[in-house]
Structure formats: C-alpha cells, structure tokens
Amino acid sequence: MLDDTLKTQLGAYLERVQQPFEIIASLDDSENSRDMLSLLQTIQGLRSDKITLKTDGTDARKPSFSLQRPGTPNSLRFAGLPLGHEFTSLVLALLWTGGHPPKVEADVTDQIKALDGDFNFEVYMSLSCHNCPDVVQALSLMAVLNPKVKTVVIEGGAFQEEVNQRQVMAVPMVFLNGQMFGSGRMLLEEIVAKLDQGAAQREAAKLSGQAPYDVLIVGGGPAGAAAAVYAARKGIRTGIVAERFGGQVNDTLAIENYVSVLETDGPKFAAALEAHVRAYDVPIMNLQRVDQLLPAAEPNGLIDIKLANGGHLKSKTVILSTGARWRNVNVPGEEQYKTKGVAYCPHCDGPLFKGKHVAVIGGGNSGVEAAIDLAGVVAHVTLIEFDTKLRADAVLVNKLNSLPNVTILVNAQTTEITGDGQKVNGLTYKDRATEASHHIELEGVFVQIGLVPNTEWLKGTLELSRHGEIVVDARGQTSLPGVFAAGDATTVPFKQIIIATGDGAKAALGAFDHLMRMPAA
C-alpha cells in the first residue's frame, strides 16, 4: 500500500509514539479489506513495540478499524481506507492515540476535556476533498482527548449504499447522535464552540477587555495577512479578527500563478499565510464575525468594531479585507437543496456523484474547469452558460469540447433546481433565443458563477459601489478617515491572490502613514 519513501517517513513519525495502543480491525473478504489489512500490518510493523494489531473486530462497517488505548474508553474509528488527503489525518490519529501532544492551544484542549454529554460523531469524507482533513482531524482529536466523544470517520466511496441512504451529497458532512450537525470545512475551535454553550460569552468578555490597536484588520485572507505582516513590521500594535482565517483560499485546490511559488494548494497557502502572520506575534482572533463598524466619535478618535458575540474591539485605524464568497444562482430550489445535490466545490463533492448525471452552471474558467474535473468521475456533465458563448480560456474550452460525456448549453438561463423534497432530481432552464423551457433530469448541480463581496454589514457606513464593493483610492483609503480596505471586497479590478496581497500591503502602509500624521495623544 505504501512505497518505500512513505514507509520511511511514516516510521520516523511513529518513533514519537509514547504509549502502547491497539489497532482493532473489522474485516471481510473484500479487496478493500485486504488493502486495509496490508496497510495496518505495515503500520504495526514499523512500531511493533508500541502498536498491537488485532483482526477480531466486530463492527458492522467493514472494512474499518479502531484505535484503542488498553483500559481506556476512548473511541476513534476509520471506516474505509484513510489515504489521499486523509493520510495525514491517519498519521496524526496514530500519534495522538500514542500520547504525542497535539499542536493545539492549551485552553482549547482543556475546553475539549471539559465537554460533558454523549457526543457520537460520524463524519463522511472523500479522499479528494481538501476541506475534509480539518474536520476529520478535529473530531479525531476530540475522541482521543475526551472519552465522552466518539468519532467514526467514513470514506464515502467505500460505503456508497450508506451514503445514498443518508443522502450525503457534500463532504465533509458531520452527524452528531444521528442528526445533521454541519457540512463543509469547520475548524476545531468552531466545533468545540458549537458544543460549549458558554464559550461565546466568555470570548466576548475576553476580547472586549483588550487594549486598543493601532491597526485592526478585519478579514484573514491573503489581503488581511499581507496587511498584518506589513503593519507589524512597523512596530505598531496590530491584530486580525476573522470569521475564517485564510478566507476563500481555503476552498481553492491548485494555485499555480503566485509568483515565486511554482505550485501549491489553497489549504497549504492559507497555512503559510498564518505562519507568516504569527511569526510577527500578531494575535489572530479567528472564528469571529464582525457585525458593525462604528466610526470614531471625534476626529482621530478610536474606531469601534462590534462582534456578533457582543464583544467590541477598538483601534486607531482599521483595514477591511473581508473578501468574497461564492455567488448563488438565486433560483427556486437552490437553497432548499444545498448539500442535497446543490454543491459549490467539485473537488470536494465530485466523488460523491460517481456514475451520476450532473450539471455545472457557469461558463467562465471556474465553471469549465469544474466540468472537466467532474467529467472524469461522473457519467455525464451538462454545462449551462447564460451568455452566447463560453467565457473561459481557449485552452480550457478546447479541452472541454474534446470530452465525450459533456453537453454544452449556451444562451441558457437556469430557472429552477428541482427535487423530490429530499434531494436534487433535475434542473429547468430557458433557451434565451427561443424562450422555450426545458428540463434535464440530474442528480447534482454545481454552481460556478463567480463571487460576491462580503460587505452587506457595511451598507450605510461607508461608500460602496453598485456591486457592493468598498470604494477605495490608490492608497486603499475608504470614504471614512482611518478606515482602509484591500482585496476582493474592494473596487480594485482583477480578483487574484497576488493582487490581494499587494493591496493588503498598500493598505497597511496607508494606515501607517495615517497614524504618523495623527496628533500625539
């Protein structure tokens, strides 16, 4: 299952195992079980003094295996092979079960250990999903740290009948005690906060007690991270408050156009951004949604940022870098069938539609790339474009046209996504040339029609364009003194990572220049 290089790397990691534990496998006579047994035998052989392999498990899901410390009630199980993007999750689970400490803040681990109740988690993932590992690793760690948390990690491709029965059409998808808990990327702190009812109030009080900042950055994407680095290098008090550090980058698979970085992916790039920011000791207040910006009550006074949890942060200057999110097609059925056939990430959710018929809405680069990607997995792809021609790069269009299981519809307006009350079963569109309405029977719809800025909360506070973008000048200054903005939320054209980072640096320098010209307190 593993080549010699990977075995060597895994062996080096397993040297960190401190406590003995058992791997208990539940197997049958399938090929998947044989592959799992081979993998587990390799793991056990690399650390046989600490790891014991048993094959007498009786779990109903086969193949699966649990990681168990003798004499402890902890419960962590992997159903299906955790390879691909999840191999790192497996390695971490082995290390944590073996007593190696996690790289998590002490207050978070204390919060996990203090959770009281019965928490039976089931998380469905796919091996090609780049958002799944964060959720898998979070729930795995919780099961290792707290015996009241039980986690089963299920590889959807190996349990297709179960996936269909539970109508799992987007990953990661998490069930808690048999009920839907969440879908999509979630951080450890976010999951714990949902379980710990008093966490929000404690966090609000903690944040409100902080001293004012010189520069407070709202948003933790490429623009916000660059602004933080540039501001911190000036030696001024800098902080970041973000709903989701990394922002839209977390959902990007391949990044091949960031100068000096030949190739990376979104999660790796987001992790590098965070590491760079933390290298300057900039506090990152993550998982915090900002509700309101209150301008300074007097010239050169403090700007107040109100948080959704009731907390307040104050700063002499503010940089807004709230980014953008996937644009909805806004037709009947879209909201109703989100995660039930309506999806936005072909890389994450595509494998769940293996052998099925799907549609992609959008003929730009993202839409055509999604259709090409899905064509290798699903039975058939119908691409629907509102314009009279595809707007993607010619090389992508040529590739799409060469695929035998793709139908391209241009000059077509999606009017409804239909379903049976439980999941998507089709899509209705209008031929804009003839006004005729047509219906396609489908099992999935992937929406790829661009982005919308995250600026609704700023309406009436500062100047926005007709598209909702923050209006900025050449220095990143907004219509409010001391408030700057950068990145995809602004009127700066060409929404690219490299442009956002440059704008973030520019806004930080603009904010610093503003601070230098403020009268001494």
Side-chain angles (χ1 to χ4, degrees):
M1 291 295 294
L2 306 178
D3 59 32
D4 290 340
T5 300
L6 206 52
K7 286 180 182 177
T8 300
Q9 293 174 345
L10 180 57
Y13 281 121
L14 293 181
E15 287 297 320
R16 303 175 187 177
V17 170
Q18 302 168 14
Q19 301 175 19
F21 66 89
E22 298 173 339
I23 302 175
I24 305 172
S26 299
L27 307 172
D28 53 25
D29 59 358
S30 66
E31 183 178 352
N32 280 342
S33 283
R34 290 191 290 272
D35 288 340
M36 177 174 287
L37 179 59
S38 175
L39 173 64
L40 299 180
Q41 287 173 334
T42 298
I43 292 170
Q44 192 271 337
L46 291 170
R47 200 70 163 91
S48 58
D49 61 323
K50 295 290 186 183
I51 302 174
T52 301
L53 173 60
K54 296 182 177 180
T55 58
D56 57 353
T58 58
D59 192 79
R61 289 189 180 97
K62 296 180 174 66
S64 68
F65 64 92
S66 64
L67 304 180
Q68 191 81 41
R69 292 177 187 162
T72 64
N74 65 298
S75 180
L76 171 59
R77 177 174 296 276
F78 289 87
L81 285 165
L83 298 176
H85 284 301
E86 293 301 341
F87 185 69
T88 299
S89 301
L90 171 60
V91 173
L92 290 172
L94 293 168
L95 294 179
W96 294 333
T97 304
H100 186 71
K103 293 182 179 179
V104 177
E105 296 292 336
D107 58 345
V108 177
T109 59
D110 290 343
Q111 195 176 1
I112 293 170
K113 293 175 182 178
L115 290 174
D116 191 19
D118 293 316
F119 305 103
N120 296 306
F121 285 104
E122 297 165 295
V123 52
Y124 291 85
M125 56 80 173
S126 72
L127 300 183
S128 61
C129 170
H130 56 279
N131 285 326
C132 292
D134 284 328
V135 179
V136 169
Q137 290 164 26
L139 293 174
S140 297
L141 179 59
M142 290 172 64
V144 171
L145 293 177
N146 188 332
K148 296 181 179 179
V149 178
K150 297 176 174 58
T151 296
V152 183
V153 179
I154 305 160
E155 197 276 291
F159 294 88
Q160 197 67 47
E161 184 176 344
E162 182 176 334
V163 163
N164 292 334
Q165 184 180 27
R166 300 188 79 167
Q167 298 181 358
V168 176
M169 296 183 179
V171 288
M173 183 169 286
V174 180
F175 291 84
L176 172 60
N177 298 333
Q179 301 298 315
M180 175 73 168
F181 176 78
S183 179
R185 185 173 184 265
M186 293 180 285
L187 299 179
L188 173 63
E189 295 83 355
E190 185 177 2
I191 295 171
V192 174
K194 289 181 71 172
L195 301 175
D196 184 353
Q197 300 299 318
Q201 290 182 336
R202 294 196 302 272
E203 188 67 15
K206 179 181 174 182
L207 294 173
S208 296
Q210 293 188 33
Y213 288 91
D214 293 313
V215 176
L216 181 63
I217 299 147
V218 180
V229 170
Y230 266 74
R233 285 174 60 87
K234 295 295 185 182
I236 56 180
R237 179 167 161 76
T238 304
I240 290 183
V241 57
E243 189 167 357
R244 179 191 182 203
F245 192 90
Q248 194 75 11
V249 165
N250 288 302
D251 301 323
T252 303
L253 187 61
I255 299 172
E256 299 174 343
N257 57 356
Y258 194 87
V259 178
S260 81
V261 179
L262 293 179
E263 182 180 358
T264 187
D265 61 45
K268 288 181 182 177
F269 191 82
L273 292 176
E274 182 174 354
H276 201 168
V277 171
R278 291 193 184 280
Y280 286 94
D281 294 324
V282 174
I284 297 175
M285 294 158 277
N286 201 17
L287 305 178
Q288 299 297 331
R289 182 166 61 84
V290 175
D291 267 357
Q292 194 174 4
L293 183 152
L294 303 171
E298 56 188 38
N300 301 316
L302 293 175
I303 301 164
D304 189 352
I305 295 295
K306 182 183 176 183
L307 306 177
N309 63 11
H312 287 262
L313 295 167
K314 298 183 184 297
S315 184
K316 296 176 182 177
T317 63
V318 168
I319 298 174
L320 303 171
S321 57
T322 49
R325 63 187 183 277
W326 290 114
R327 185 182 298 276
N328 291 327
V329 70
N330 291 322
V331 297
E334 179 182 24
E335 189 65 32
Q336 179 182 356
Y337 292 109
K338 279 184 179 177
T339 75
K340 297 298 182 184
V342 175
Y344 299 82
C345 180
H347 309 296
C348 300
D349 302 330
L352 300 175
F353 294 85
K354 183 177 181 180
K356 299 179 180 181
H357 289 67
V358 304
V360 173
I361 301 175
N365 280 350
S366 60
V368 172
E369 287 173 352
I372 293 170
D373 183 14
L374 290 165
V377 178
V378 304
H380 190 272
V381 179
T382 301
L383 187 141
I384 300 171
E385 166 55 34
F386 183 86
D387 205 349
T388 55
K389 62 181 180 180
L390 299 182
R391 295 168 286 107
D393 296 341
V395 64
L396 294 174
V397 174
N398 291 337
K399 173 67 175 177
L400 186 69
N401 283 322
S402 73
L403 300 175
N405 62 335
V406 174
T407 299
I408 301 171
L409 302 175
V410 296
N411 209 19
Q413 180 181 357
T414 301
T415 57
E416 184 180 8
I417 296 170
T418 62
D420 61 6
Q422 299 295 322
K423 59 184 178 179
V424 166
N425 64 15
L427 178 148
T428 303
Y429 73 92
K430 180 178 72 175
D431 184 324
R432 296 177 61 226
T434 65
E435 297 293 315
S437 181
H438 303 274
H439 185 77
I440 313 168
E441 292 186 359
L442 300 164
E443 291 151 295
V445 177
F446 289 80
V447 180
Q448 299 281 292
I449 57 173
L451 302 171
V452 59
N454 297 316
T455 58
E456 292 87 350
W457 62 285
L458 291 168
K459 288 181 179 178
T461 303
L462 46 67
E463 185 182 359
L464 302 176
S465 74
R466 63 186 181 91
H467 299 296
E469 298 166 321
I470 303 169
V471 177
V472 293
D473 65 15
R475 301 162 69 88
Q477 172 71 58
T478 72
S479 60
L480 283 179
V483 179
F484 296 78
D488 288 359
T490 73
T491 49
V492 172
F494 310 121
K495 312 304 186 184
Q496 297 289 310
I497 294 173
I498 196 166
I499 292 174
T501 53
D503 280 348
K506 181 171 61 178
L509 295 175
F512 181 68
D513 185 70
H514 178 87
L515 288 168
M516 286 194 300
R517 299 171 189 280
M518 290 177 66

